[in-house]
Amino acid sequence: MNEKLKYSVAGHLFCIETPDRARTTGIMPNYTPFRVENSSGDDFLFSLRGHREVHLPEFPPDDTMEWNGVDYRVYHSPEGMVVSMKQGGKEHRFFAPADWKEVVCDLSFTDKNEAVFLNSFLRLAFGVTSILANRTIKIHASVTELNGKALVFLGKSGTGKSTHSRLWREFVPDCTLLNDDEPLIRVFEDEPVRVYGAPWSGSTACFRNASAEVAAFIHLYQSPENRLTRLRNVEALSSLYASAAMLRSDAGNKDRVLDVVAAVLQRVPVYRLDCRPDYEAVSLTRSLLP
């Protein structure tokens, strides 16, 4: 008989139905800080069930991509979405119905070799359902927190997001790293925009079940000089939208991401930081926090 493992990420509840709670927990340690033993209800964003046979549709995929060494194929149909993931000669699949409430896959949840697939399934399912149910998006960024306020550093891979966060911890007492690659941004009706830690943080093991109010987004560019400039209108929108995770093959998902980004920009400023990796660059962004 399966048991439920419950997790709460950015205030959203989801579950895995597993035949062996201990073994499943053991192959996904990055989720441990987000585990919930008792919850007030079972209103899950989604539940994930294993040991199901998932067939590929008899038509070409709507999208293909490679990410972190995993090859993805995505198929859309009126019934829902099928995703195939391949790595190192192994393939696993999952199927999500149109409402994404009960997602099924062919994993056992007990084999440590399934960890990369399980993590990828959960990341994708959470990304789609958290924006459907509540205005929450995942972005590519590094987040530094100080006294409950956060700066979210954006930029292409290799532009120095992690380096700037590390320099903050070197030069600014009491600041902490909230997430180093895949934080979650959530918009509330009558509250400040917040950024949350997640079970995903790129190559940095920073899996914090914590959050902070977003003070500013800063898009980093390598430069021989340090200069901080506020972005307006289209520039600000393009900067944040380009950093957000979305399903390229799903027009509805992309539209919902755009709506969340537009709502965020009504409350939080976006800056461009041309910078060197030094104290002066940190001092410029330090001015954005009280």
Side-chain angles (χ1 to χ4, degrees):
M1 181 177 179
N2 285 345
E3 298 178 284
K4 291 181 178 179
L5 278 172
K6 302 178 183 179
Y7 298 91
S8 178
V9 177
H12 305 307
L13 196 66
F14 63 89
C15 80
I16 301 171
E17 297 188 16
T18 173
D20 191 322
R21 287 161 58 97
R23 292 181 70 178
T24 303
T25 301
I27 66 175
M28 45 189 292
N30 48 314
Y31 289 79
T32 298
F34 303 89
R35 185 167 168 187
V36 177
E37 290 296 342
N38 298 300
S39 62
S40 56
D42 288 343
D43 185 17
F44 300 119
L45 282 180
F46 66 92
S47 62
L48 179 62
R49 297 174 180 172
H51 291 287
R52 301 295 202 278
E53 188 173 3
V54 179
H55 298 282
L56 293 180
E58 296 181 355
F59 53 81
D62 298 291
D63 195 12
T64 60
M65 69 194 89
E66 188 277 333
W67 191 69
N68 283 356
V70 179
D71 293 313
Y72 294 78
R73 288 181 292 166
V74 181
Y75 304 80
H76 294 278
S77 72
E79 292 75 32
M81 184 170 75
V82 173
V83 178
S84 163
M85 298 181 185
K86 290 184 177 181
Q87 184 189 56
K90 293 185 178 181
E91 179 187 11
H92 288 286
R93 305 168 184 171
F94 82 70
F95 169 76
D99 65 1
W100 280 82
K101 284 296 185 181
E102 295 185 359
V103 182
V104 298
C105 66
D106 58 5
L107 299 176
S108 68
F109 302 145
T110 59
D111 182 351
K112 65 180 181 180
N113 294 316
E114 295 178 350
V116 64
F117 298 100
L118 178 55
N119 196 50
S120 296
F121 287 171
L122 290 172
R123 180 195 283 111
L124 178 56
F126 184 89
V128 172
T129 55
S130 64
I131 196 171
L132 280 172
N134 294 285
R135 294 191 292 177
T136 303
I137 59 174
K138 182 165 67 68
I139 63 171
H140 183 48
S142 183
V143 184
T144 294
E145 179 270 338
L146 179 66
N147 299 326
K149 300 291 182 67
L151 296 179
V152 182
F153 299 114
L154 312 173
K156 294 181 180 179
S157 296
T159 55
K161 299 183 297 297
S162 296
T163 297
H164 198 73
S165 287
R166 176 182 57 78
L167 290 171
W168 256 77
R169 298 194 300 279
E170 181 178 341
F171 293 123
V172 181
D174 301 322
C175 74
T176 62
L177 181 69
L178 182 61
N179 187 277
D180 203 35
D181 192 56
E182 300 178 72
L184 300 160
I185 304 295
R186 184 170 180 181
V187 179
F188 294 89
E189 193 66 35
D190 298 310
E191 299 178 29
V193 175
R194 298 194 69 81
V195 58
Y196 290 79
W200 321 288
S201 188
S203 60
T204 304
C206 181
F207 311 117
R208 295 183 56 198
N209 189 1
S211 70
E213 179 183 340
V214 180
F217 296 92
I218 301 102
H219 204 126
L220 301 180
Y221 293 85
Q222 294 179 349
S223 173
E225 62 177 340
N226 293 313
R227 183 175 66 255
L228 184 66
T229 309
R230 183 164 181 177
L231 300 180
R232 306 281 184 177
N233 303 324
V234 175
E235 287 184 316
L237 180 66
S238 298
S239 175
L240 188 52
Y241 186 68
S243 300
M246 64 191 78
L247 285 174
R248 299 180 305 183
S249 57
D250 188 332
N253 180 262
K254 292 192 290 186
D255 287 344
R256 284 185 286 272
V257 170
L258 183 59
D259 288 343
V260 173
V261 168
V264 169
L265 294 179
Q266 292 179 3
R267 309 184 193 185
V268 183
V270 180
Y271 294 86
R272 172 181 174 133
L273 178 66
D274 297 275
C275 64
R276 303 184 302 266
D278 58 18
Y279 172 77
E280 184 184 49
V282 172
S283 67
L284 289 176
T285 52
R286 177 68 184 88
S287 68
L288 301 175
L289 289 182

